[in-house]
Amino acid sequence: MPSHPDGIRAPQIAADQMPSHVAVIMDGNGRWAEQRGLPRHEGHRAGIAAVYEMVYGALEIGLRHLTVYMFSTENWKRGTEEITTILGATQRELDEGPLRDMNVRQRWSGRPDKLPEDLVHSLRREEHRTRTRTGLTLTTCINYGGRDEITRTAAALAQAAREGEVDPHLLGEDDFARHLPHPDMPDVDLLWRTGNEQRTSNFLPWHAAYAELYFTPGYWPDNDRSDLWQAITEYSRRQRRHGAVPTPLTSPEN
Ligand code: IPE
Ligand code: IPE
Ligand code: MG
């Protein structure tokens, strides 16, 4: 794995302050290109290099799960050339990119319909080929929509109810989670969006319900692994309460 070009090393984060799952909305590729007088698709090409950087950074700092938003169910509204570049760059990465031989379990979240058959084939092939790897689980969201994921889960539950496997009156959150397309995906601890927008754009509404949110102004291709480490350092300073009262350092009863 190439080290950071300036020799910057991953910070030491205490195990109990470390997020398990970081999800990234990689935004700003188009504006990065426009700023340089380049066509938008050049921004997507540059964005792939930043994805590699994040994976190297995740492996170096010992992150377990990294999920990246590559193409949303809403991104079909864009021009054909731009869509073809995003999907083509993803396919090239899967077929010949540097992550192939790293200790990375590659997974895909999203719907197959409308995607090129070759891409769906490569996504499934890599999922299968890397399924026993242990270093990092990298989930790429392509043709992913949060509401779509919830709708498909509701359909799966309705089917299970019709078949008598679940009782609708007794359904709990755990039953819902078990019917998600990827039931083993953990909750998102940190949701990071680049590109100076403060919205979540239909990304992981179920998993990120209690995520810490982190927004940065820079365009995606200008980020490298040190920005991921910065995001994780910021997370490590947050106090998560999940609705409870903060625990005092020493309680008078003890
Ligand atoms: C994010 O960059 C990548 C995708 C949505 C595929 P954008 O292409 O949205 O970049 P901006 O927001 O137009 O700058
Ligand atoms: C979200 O970015 C989708 C991805 C990063 C793949 P968009 O640029 O498409 O989102 P909006 O249009 O700002 O909501
Ligand atoms: Mg955008």
Side-chain angles (χ1 to χ4, degrees):
M1 174 166 67
S3 48
H4 188 281
D6 301 332
I8 303 174
R9 307 280 291 274
Q12 295 277 339
I13 306 283
D16 61 346
Q17 309 286 334
M18 184 70 193
S20 299
H21 186 183
V22 176
V24 190
I25 303 174
M26 312 184 289
D27 196 25
N29 291 350
R31 281 165 287 162
W32 180 91
E34 281 157 20
Q35 198 181 47
R36 287 164 174 73
L38 298 168
R40 289 180 60 87
H41 62 255
E42 290 297 340
H44 299 302
R45 275 191 235 286
I48 292 283
V51 176
Y52 297 151
E53 267 295 309
M54 296 309 150
V55 172
Y56 303 151
L59 286 165
E60 283 179 35
I61 203 170
L63 182 67
R64 306 297 312 150
H65 292 267
L66 178 68
T67 299
V68 294
Y69 207 2
M70 194 71 87
F71 190 85
S72 75
T73 47
E74 288 72 38
N75 287 147
W76 296 107
K77 294 172 192 158
R78 299 185 179 203
T80 316
E81 189 177 6
E82 184 170 350
I83 293 174
T84 309
T85 308
I86 298 167
L87 301 182
T90 307
Q91 170 127 26
R92 261 194 309 286
E93 191 290 301
L94 292 162
D95 293 348
E96 54 203 63
L99 307 184
R100 288 180 58 81
D101 301 319
M102 311 199 81
N103 190 10
V104 176
R105 182 167 73 132
Q106 292 224 48
R107 306 192 82 189
W108 163 47
S109 185
R111 324 174 48 101
D113 55 292
K114 296 205 272 186
L115 290 176
E117 254 177 56
D118 286 357
L119 176 58
V120 173
H121 173 81
S122 297
L123 287 162
R124 291 194 169 137
R125 183 198 64 218
E126 290 311 295
E127 235 173 6
H128 185 74
R129 195 176 68 84
T130 64
R131 68 193 181 286
T132 57
R133 293 188 179 170
T134 52
L136 167 74
T137 297
L138 172 68
T139 304
T140 307
C141 295
I142 302 177
N143 201 17
Y144 173 89
R147 285 189 169 181
D148 173 69
E149 182 176 61
I150 287 177
T151 306
R152 283 196 288 154
T153 307
L157 268 178
Q159 184 64 29
R162 182 193 255 171
E163 287 163 12
E165 288 165 18
V166 295
D167 178 348
H169 300 291
L170 300 176
L171 277 182
E173 292 182 11
D174 290 352
D175 300 299
F176 190 91
R178 272 192 297 111
H179 287 80
L180 284 163
H182 294 283
D184 57 346
M185 182 190 270
D187 282 351
V188 173
D189 298 306
L190 172 63
L191 178 63
W192 171 27
R193 182 175 188 142
T194 63
N196 209 25
E197 307 289 358
Q198 310 212 344
R199 54 178 168 261
T200 57
S201 301
N202 203 17
F203 192 40
L204 301 171
W206 177 269
H207 306 85
Y210 235 116
E212 293 295 322
L213 306 179
Y214 180 64
F215 299 102
T216 54
Y219 299 145
W220 176 251
D222 287 328
N223 286 271
D224 70 16
R225 70 190 90 174
S226 66
D227 297 287
L228 173 70
W229 296 337
Q230 185 57 45
I232 291 174
T233 303
E234 160 75 24
Y235 170 89
S236 72
R237 299 189 183 124
R238 301 261 180 110
Q239 190 187 44
R240 302 186 79 189
R241 292 195 281 278
H242 295 283
V245 176
T247 327
L249 285 175
T250 49
S251 90
E253 289 90 339
N254 300 331

